[in-house]
Amino acid sequence: MEPQGKIWMDGAFVDWADANVHVLTHSLHYGLAAFEGLRCYRGKSGSAIFRLHEHVDRLFESAHIAMMTIPYDKKQVAEAIVETVRINKLDACYIRPLVYIGYGAMGVYPGDNPIKLAVAAWKWGAYLGDDALANGMRARVSSFTRHHVNVSMTRGKISGYYVNSILAKREAKADGYDEAIMLDPEGYVSEGTGENIFIVRKGRIKTTPLTSILEGITRNSVIELAREQGIVVQEDRFTRDEMYIADEVFVTGTAAELTPVREIDNRRIGNGKPGPITAALQKAFFSVVRGEDAAHASWLTRI
């Protein structure tokens, strides 16, 4: 991570190196915090944040699920995100808003500890690497199971839930893979450590329904782009072996964007290269985020 100039913290910009919290900050100990990930892209007509308002909506939904009341309204948070990009003079970046429980009472019950908000932005290229974005990544099915809906409420983007992702990612990387794919508690494919999963068979797309997975904003965008191209998209459960025999597999997410998967559990997917539907949707996605698709201009907030 390349340090930038300023981070927005509770209504004011502070120097990057001074954006600190107390070691007894409640969320640091117990993991109850909500966050978002957004991207700002450089385009022909300048830079723009992709689906800013949808991300702000989801941040508020996650905080609501976690019983945290954000001390700002949605307009103020959206403005803080835009200003964080502007003040750091970034034309392309990743943006991280974080809502957390601050210093005060210690113990599982946070009492009336203050709810804090920070927004940071930094330069970040292809999350899974440029080669994976172009040629596909290698993944393994993890030994770790994704959350049950009544253990961790899966519609919330909650910091503590990602311990599960960290363990799965470390296991996959230690075994020489780029990413992990997790199954749900009933053994069906759920999602990656930070991505939604799509498979393509016989010209149709299938993706996990909104049961054990986060309601991905990039996922939603890609489903819409696919249907506009006349591709049938089913939201339905599927098994790990259906991934093995798929013609194409790809993952989506703010960080991962749209990344092909060329191999799972040492089994080649299709011909081992990004397939035609994956390539077409990846092209359409990047056309949108770079401001080249006027039909989806409403998805962009200009900086």
Side-chain angles (χ1 to χ4, degrees):
M1 184 186 302
E2 180 182 336
Q4 303 303 314
K6 302 284 185 179
I7 291 177
W8 190 96
M9 293 188 75
D10 300 310
F13 284 104
V14 300
D15 290 339
W16 181 279
D18 296 328
N20 300 315
V21 298
H22 196 282
V23 72
L24 295 180
T25 295
H26 194 276
S27 292
L28 178 62
H29 291 256
Y30 299 105
L32 187 60
F35 71 97
E36 270 301 319
L38 304 86
R39 276 192 187 265
C40 177
Y41 289 89
R42 180 174 53 251
K44 291 182 179 179
S45 301
S47 297
I49 297 173
F50 181 61
R51 304 202 76 166
L52 168 64
H53 299 291
E54 288 86 347
H55 280 285
V56 171
D57 286 344
R58 192 173 66 179
L59 180 68
F60 274 77
E61 290 168 358
S62 296
H64 180 68
I65 288 169
M67 300 179 72
M68 296 187 296
T69 301
I70 298 175
Y72 305 94
D73 62 30
K74 290 181 180 180
K75 184 174 183 291
Q76 290 172 312
V77 174
E79 288 173 350
I81 290 169
V82 171
E83 287 305 314
T84 300
V85 177
R86 284 178 178 161
I87 199 169
N88 289 298
K89 299 179 180 178
L90 294 164
D91 57 2
C93 62
Y94 181 86
I95 309 158
R96 170 58 53 85
L98 174 69
V99 180
Y100 61 98
I101 302 173
Y103 174 86
M106 188 52 67
V108 171
Y109 180 61
D112 59 357
N113 289 20
I115 304 301
K116 315 287 275 183
L117 174 64
V119 181
W122 62 89
K123 296 178 182 178
W124 202 4
Y127 175 63
L128 294 164
D130 291 330
D131 182 68
L133 198 62
N135 301 310
M137 69 170 183
R138 298 178 65 248
R140 64 155 290 179
V141 173
S142 180
S143 69
F144 294 94
T145 300
R146 204 52 164 158
H147 304 291
H148 183 279
V149 293
N150 204 37
V151 172
S152 297
M153 290 172 280
T154 55
R155 290 298 179 91
K157 194 171 177 66
I158 306 298
S159 297
Y161 297 177
Y162 282 77
V163 171
N164 182 241
S165 292
I166 293 167
L167 293 172
K169 183 81 170 186
R170 281 184 160 177
E171 177 186 62
K173 296 290 282 186
D175 288 344
Y177 294 90
D178 301 307
E179 185 54 288
I181 294 172
M182 286 179 281
L183 308 180
D184 70 18
E186 295 180 71
Y188 292 91
V189 174
S190 179
E191 58 187 345
T193 62
E195 309 91 11
N196 296 125
I197 300 173
F198 293 75
I199 65 172
V200 181
R201 288 192 70 201
K202 301 177 181 178
R204 293 172 173 248
I205 291 176
K206 187 182 288 187
T207 190
T208 306
L210 297 175
T211 49
S212 63
I213 68 170
L214 184 70
E215 190 171 4
I217 293 168
T218 306
R219 171 189 182 274
N220 171 272
S221 305
V222 169
I223 289 173
E224 186 168 333
L225 292 172
R227 287 174 173 160
E228 287 173 0
Q229 293 187 20
I231 303 167
V232 175
V233 181
Q234 296 174 269
E235 297 183 66
D236 198 7
R237 300 166 105 187
F238 55 93
T239 58
R240 63 190 296 179
D241 53 354
E242 192 170 355
M243 287 194 301
Y244 299 156
I245 59 174
D247 302 315
E248 306 174 40
V249 177
F250 62 89
V251 300
T252 64
T254 296
E257 297 164 300
L258 195 159
T259 301
V261 181
R262 60 183 170 85
E263 183 183 309
I264 301 173
D265 292 343
N266 292 310
R267 294 165 175 85
R268 187 183 66 188
I269 303 302
N271 63 6
K273 299 178 181 179
I277 289 178
T278 300
L281 290 176
Q282 189 185 65
K283 181 180 179 181
F285 173 77
F286 281 112
S287 177
V288 169
V289 300
R290 291 169 181 156
E292 299 164 1
D293 180 354
H296 296 94
S298 63
W299 286 357
L300 303 177
T301 299
R302 300 291 176 183
I303 297 300

